[in-house]
Amino acid sequence: MARIVQKYGGSSVADAECIKRVAQRIVATRKAGHEVVVVVSAMGDSTDELIDLAEQVSPLPPARELDMLLTAGERISMALLAMAISDLGVEARSFTGSQAGVITDAVHGKARIIDVTPGRIRHALDEGAVAIVAGFQGVSQDTKDITTLGRGGSDTTAVALAAALEAAVCEIYTDVDGVFSADPRIVPTARKLDRTTYEEMLELAASGAKVLHLRCVEYARRYALPIHVRSSFSGREGTWVVADRSTEDEGDTMENAIISGVAHDTSEAKVTVVGVPDRPGEAAAIFEAVAAAEINIDMIVQNVSAASTGRTDISFTLPKAEGQKAMAALARGKDAIGFEALQYDDGIGKVSLVGAGMRTHPGVSATFFRALADAGVNVELISTSEIRVSVVCRADDVAAAVAAVHSAFGLDAAAPEAVVYGGTGR
Ligand code: ASP
Ligand code: MG
């Protein structure tokens, strides 16, 4: 008997039929003798619909009220799922994030979990019930207000609860069979990864792979909690995200997999600060202005200054949604910082190659840039980590770039493996 946390995404609980199907899977796990804690997302696209509704009422809804509204989505699915499970003769109790002991800081819309005190969940399990928890939400320790963890945050709820409850595994149920070597919607011959590491998964998630929330992977790594990403629409084994990719019998062959995947992201924009004087403190002033506006940035690139002008350009990328805020913050600081102009470009995309093997294998960058060149893709920015190479290119070139790089590294499966079972991709 094991303690298992299962998380079901929006497409897995999109309507009454889906909810009943998921209930059956949960009941089967419970009847096999396991203790089951379930974390649910809001039904289908209902979070997006609630956001649309809020925007119709107010163009800039107060963050506290937006959080209060959005948490309703997960509460609907948790209660319905508990009803469906009860109907199958197994006791189920639903809990809001706050009731489940998910304690966060006070930053509405992207709160961080600071503690999990799941006393009521333990109690429910001790009494033989299945505990259902509303994902993506918690309660602020300071303000006692309801918070949300950011889009896709139910994954993080599930992993945080699994860690606090010392569960054997956190199963993330989604609408594809696992983590793929590229988005199967762009590369039909993408292959399913049987195992990947926390390290690689962190890079993939940070590079735009949407299958897992970035913070959930950070959390799982910190607690060495295995994640099993799999489909709620099939019984197939999915992708295990663990500390070490090699298994005992497969050690050598797995080591040969230099690259684990190609991720892409078209949700970012590029800001270029033109004509920055080449003297100490300029970059600090620029990024302090952006940080003061509470904006997270991604890539940063600065070139050497031109000898004739003593000035250079600094470009950085950030979520499109924060673009105007960053431009306004920088424009306010223009005279104090002393740059010449600002440029904003939201027609960009990012393509990233990820794999722990690139640490020890030469020629990975050469193959990567050759593949982009042969596909006619112009590279605008480059950034790397130990196990990742990323480029920024035109958004229109992203699909071609991903496909070209995926083939160049021999990642294509002989026949299409991926089945996308649900979801509107919204
Ligand atoms: N329902 C929330 C969202 O759509 C949280 C989640 O699904 O993880 O972002
Ligand atoms: Mg998700």
Side-chain angles (χ1 to χ4, degrees):
M1 185 188 102
R3 184 174 286 178
I4 297 175
V5 174
Q6 298 186 331
K7 180 256 166 176
Y8 292 93
S11 51
S12 297
V13 292
D15 56 27
E17 276 321 302
C18 290
I19 290 176
K20 287 202 247 178
R21 193 171 43 73
V22 163
Q24 269 165 2
R25 193 183 269 270
I26 295 165
V27 165
T29 313
R30 178 73 195 95
K31 289 204 166 143
H34 302 300
E35 289 183 330
V36 191
V37 177
V38 177
V39 173
V40 273
S41 286
M43 295 169 69
D45 286 334
S46 59
T47 305
D48 291 301
E49 286 156 15
L50 290 172
I51 292 173
D52 290 351
L53 194 57
E55 281 166 359
Q56 287 170 41
V57 172
S58 154
L60 215 89
R64 179 190 185 278
E65 303 310 326
L66 189 60
D67 272 1
M68 195 60 112
L69 177 73
L70 296 189
T71 56
E74 271 68 13
R75 293 180 182 211
I76 291 172
S77 35
M78 76 178 187
L80 290 171
L81 185 56
M83 292 174 198
I85 294 172
S86 299
D87 199 56
L88 297 173
V90 167
E91 199 198 335
R93 291 181 208 161
S94 64
F95 298 93
T96 65
S98 161
Q99 289 175 319
V102 180
I103 317 281
T104 70
D105 62 19
V107 186
H108 286 292
K110 48 180 173 189
R112 296 190 77 97
I113 296 178
I114 51 187
D115 198 10
V116 183
T117 52
R120 296 192 67 184
I121 307 299
R122 282 211 182 85
H123 190 71
L125 294 178
D126 287 347
E127 294 190 344
V130 172
I132 318 277
V133 179
F136 152 78
Q137 56 182 274
V139 61
S140 156
Q141 194 166 45
D142 299 337
T143 62
K144 310 289 180 233
D145 281 330
I146 297 299
T147 53
T148 63
L149 309 181
R151 299 306 308 271
S154 298
D155 295 347
T156 300
T157 304
V159 170
L161 266 175
L165 292 164
E166 296 176 330
V169 56
C170 182
E171 296 182 332
I172 305 273
Y173 284 93
T174 178
D175 53 10
V176 287
D177 279 321
V179 181
F180 281 79
S181 55
D183 184 340
R185 293 175 178 94
I186 292 192
V187 183
T189 50
R191 52 175 91 207
K192 193 196 84 199
L193 310 179
D194 294 332
R195 290 166 81 83
T196 186
T197 62
Y198 297 125
E199 189 187 31
E200 289 168 318
M201 199 61 232
L202 276 174
E203 293 279 11
L204 287 168
S207 305
K210 285 185 224 29
V211 64
L212 284 180
H213 196 227
L214 176 60
R215 288 204 337 245
C216 112
V217 190
E218 289 172 346
Y219 222 101
R221 174 163 73 168
R222 186 161 354 122
Y223 292 93
L225 179 88
I227 300 181
H228 186 185
V229 184
R230 56 193 307 194
S231 168
S232 67
F233 297 81
S234 82
R236 291 196 196 123
E237 186 78 358
T239 302
W240 285 85
V241 186
V242 290
D244 183 2
R245 182 136 56 99
S246 58
T247 55
E248 267 161 37
D249 45 329
E250 283 181 322
D252 289 343
T253 46
M254 294 314 280
E255 241 182 43
N256 288 335
I258 301 171
I259 299 303
S260 66
V262 187
H264 71 277
D265 190 353
T266 49
S267 70
E268 293 192 338
K270 180 175 73 172
V271 172
T272 302
V273 189
V274 180
V276 182
D278 189 2
R279 59 174 182 237
E282 286 299 314
I286 289 170
F287 292 111
E288 277 161 7
V290 177
E294 294 212 30
I295 295 167
N296 278 322
I297 57 174
D298 180 21
M299 295 163 104
I300 303 176
V301 173
Q302 177 190 304
N303 209 332
V304 290
S305 61
S308 54
T309 61
R311 288 177 181 264
T312 183
D313 298 344
I314 295 181
S315 294
F316 61 91
T317 64
L318 77 180
K320 269 181 202 161
E322 317 251 51
Q324 291 315 320
K325 211 163 52 158
M327 290 293 281
L330 286 168
R332 277 195 301 276
K334 180 168 185 282
D335 293 335
I337 303 171
F339 58 85
E340 285 165 358
L342 288 173
Q343 287 168 1
Y344 183 72
D345 180 353
D346 62 6
I348 61 158
K350 184 172 74 168
V351 176
S352 305
L353 180 71
V354 174
M358 69 175 74
R359 256 196 205 107
T360 46
H361 286 75
V364 169
S365 300
T367 306
F368 178 67
F369 289 110
R370 173 50 56 202
L372 293 173
D374 290 348
V377 176
N378 187 45
V379 173
E380 298 179 20
L381 302 179
I382 302 174
S383 97
T384 60
S385 83
E386 256 193 308
I387 65 164
R388 175 183 50 78
V389 191
S390 304
V391 296
V392 164
C393 60
R394 291 289 90 204
D396 295 342
D397 285 341
V398 162
V402 171
V405 170
H406 193 265
S407 316
F409 284 91
L411 298 173
D412 294 300
E417 291 184 354
V419 187
V420 178
Y421 298 94
T424 58
R426 180 173 167 175

